[in-house]
Structures are given as C-alpha cells and as structure tokens.
Amino acid sequence: MQTMAVRLIIDGNAVYEIDEECLKAQQKKGELQMERSEERQKRRNVRKEQSEEPK
C-alpha cells in the first residue's frame, strides 16, 4: 500500500490540500528550467564576445 504525503493548510474557512510529491516535482522542474536558462545565457554571452572580437 502506497502512502500519500499530504499537507493541509487552513486559512480562515478555506482548507487547502498540498500534495508533497507533486510540489517536489514542480520544484525540481523549476530548478531544471533555471539551469537551462543560465546555460542558454552563457552560450549567448560567449557568442556575443566572439562576434565582437576584431578579425
């Protein structure tokens, strides 16, 4: 039997159920997107520097 990690948030009369596994997956996806974005920016900077060098 698989247990599900759930967190309940109570805000006034509203109750929110947070799926911990889903939250972790979303965070990891966000971290990967940030890493890819940083890599793309580094490549752009290198290309820009190379194009600015005198020939």
Side-chain angles (χ1 to χ4, degrees), residues 3-54:
T3 60
M4 198 167 136
V6 175
R7 182 173 23 157
L8 291 178
I9 306 293
I10 301 172
D11 182 20
N13 289 333
V15 178
Y16 304 95
E17 182 178 3
I18 309 297
D19 182 347
E20 295 287 335
E21 292 174 19
C22 180
L23 186 60
K24 286 179 187 178
Q26 287 178 345
Q27 288 172 344
K28 184 169 181 130
K29 182 179 178 181
E31 291 170 3
L32 290 173
Q33 287 176 339
M34 285 293 291
E35 289 174 9
R36 288 184 197 134
S37 176
E38 291 171 358
E39 286 297 318
R40 281 193 301 267
Q41 188 62 41
K42 286 178 187 177
R43 286 194 300 267
R44 285 185 195 124
N45 290 341
V46 167
R47 279 189 239 131
K48 184 177 180 183
E49 290 171 2
Q50 290 173 346
S51 68
E52 292 176 351
E53 291 178 1

